[in-house]
Amino acid sequence: MSAPERIPTRSVSPQELLAKGELTVRGQVRGASNAVLYCTVEYDGVSAACVYKPVAGERPLWDFPDGTLARREVAAYELSEAMGWGLVPPTVLRDGPYGEGMCQLWIEASEGAEGTEGTTGAADGMGAGPEGPAEPSGEGPLLALVDGDEPGEGWKAVGFAEVGGPGEERTALLVHADDVRLRRLAVLDAVINNGDRKGGHLLPAADGRIYAIDHGVTFNADDKLRTLLWGWAGEPLTEEALDALRRLSADLADGRPLAARLAELITPAEIHALRARVADLLRTGRHREPSGQWPAIPWPPV
């Protein structure tokens, strides 16, 4: 689908545009397990493309009996903004043609970018080969499958995977770029308890930023962290991450605006668990490691 022009430089913020603009459904994003509608939104002469996920189109999840996917998506955006990293596209909760839902600015992935919806293994174009991937850059692949036991310079190992068709199966090492943008996202995912961080949820933009989407299965009070970004597991957090976590801890205190906003989006038990996860990251000063109580890597991984 072709997206309209990006938001012009005007006084209307993306959040205001998404919240107040006239929402028009243009089509449906196929392949999603819940209703995902491609829309345009227009307000005060400003327009943009966006995604609208109505609550009415959500499928119930046995392990997420409370709240909605849409509200958790908005909560993930609020946490990303509070940490100062802007990893999640502007996202609001609003009424639309099919009732309440999440509305998120459409991000056009840069042409040829890896880590976007539909990428698969090295044999299928994830970005690598028998000789290993090239050193990552702002425009290179984010994920790759390589032969051998070591990830190579500029990459972090995730784990081994079986690739290839019938009769051509082989074991390859799944790696991700040793990239500061992904490292920030690994911290954010640990904070929001992301149960589904796949390669297809990473959108490298033309301006060099990486955006992360699809945060409906987050904030569970139980440990649900499943991600491809385990490359820093057990390593010390950066000072930047620790500073962001300290600010976030203060902002989550009762009476603070962020805490009040989250109380409208997720349950008290989920907020309590969120505070505990932030406190634990600050206490250990290290990236999360797999707990062993839950599959560490989502399936399929892309």
Side-chain angles (χ1 to χ4, degrees):
M1 287 177 255
S2 177
E5 293 259 334
R6 291 299 302 274
I7 303 171
T9 304
R10 296 246 341 234
S11 58
V12 178
S13 69
Q15 294 83 355
E16 184 180 17
L17 175 63
L18 293 170
K20 298 181 179 179
E22 181 180 355
L23 197 60
T24 303
V25 176
R26 302 295 184 184
Q28 184 171 5
V29 178
R30 301 185 180 226
S33 55
N34 297 279
V36 181
L37 303 177
Y38 177 81
C39 304
T40 54
V41 61
E42 183 173 359
Y43 178 71
D44 196 23
V46 181
S47 64
C50 63
V51 170
Y52 164 53
K53 298 183 181 181
V55 172
E58 295 181 4
R59 295 182 181 179
L61 299 173
W62 67 267
D63 52 346
F64 285 81
D66 301 316
T68 65
L69 302 179
R71 288 179 180 253
R72 289 191 288 271
E73 293 245 31
V74 178
Y77 167 71
E78 297 283 353
L79 265 292
S80 171
E81 291 299 291
M83 296 183 77
W85 290 336
L87 292 167
V88 180
T91 311
V92 304
L93 190 72
R94 60 162 292 169
D95 285 331
Y98 300 101
E100 180 181 278
M102 174 275 269
C103 189
Q104 185 176 83
L105 191 68
W106 178 272
I107 300 297
E108 199 70 50
S110 58
E111 186 175 352
E114 300 292 345
T116 57
E117 197 72 53
T119 56
T120 54
D124 302 306
M126 186 183 272
E131 298 179 359
E135 186 171 347
S137 67
E139 298 179 355
L142 302 175
L143 302 168
L145 284 164
V146 298
D147 291 333
D149 297 331
E150 298 296 329
E153 184 178 357
W155 295 85
K156 304 292 273 186
V158 179
F160 291 98
E162 297 299 319
V163 299
E168 300 179 352
E169 298 91 344
R170 65 183 178 89
T171 301
L173 181 65
L174 176 62
V175 299
H176 63 67
D178 187 3
D179 186 305
V180 64
R181 302 166 298 175
L182 293 183
R183 190 165 190 172
R184 290 169 182 159
L185 184 56
V187 177
L188 176 64
D189 281 344
V191 167
I192 66 177
N193 196 18
N194 193 348
D196 194 33
R197 173 60 70 216
K198 298 177 180 177
H201 301 160
L202 306 177
L203 300 180
D207 61 3
R209 297 177 64 178
I210 291 176
Y211 289 95
I213 60 171
D214 285 357
H215 297 105
V217 287
T218 50
F219 296 101
N220 200 298
D222 297 328
D223 182 12
K224 298 284 187 181
L225 184 58
R226 293 195 304 170
T227 176
L228 288 178
L229 303 179
W230 287 117
W232 298 280
E235 293 186 15
L237 293 166
T238 64
E239 193 57 40
E240 177 197 46
L242 291 170
D243 286 343
L245 289 166
R246 292 184 192 107
R247 293 194 305 271
L248 182 59
S249 179
D251 288 341
L252 289 173
D254 286 334
R256 298 295 294 268
L258 178 61
R261 176 63 177 141
L262 290 176
E264 300 172 353
L265 300 170
I266 58 179
T267 69
E270 288 167 340
I271 293 175
H272 177 77
L274 166 62
R275 290 169 174 155
R277 288 192 298 272
V278 173
D280 190 60
L281 286 166
L282 286 170
R283 178 184 61 80
T284 65
R286 293 182 177 275
H287 283 270
R288 273 287 314 273
E289 296 185 77
S291 66
Q293 300 176 349
W294 184 256
I297 298 176
W299 187 262
V302 295

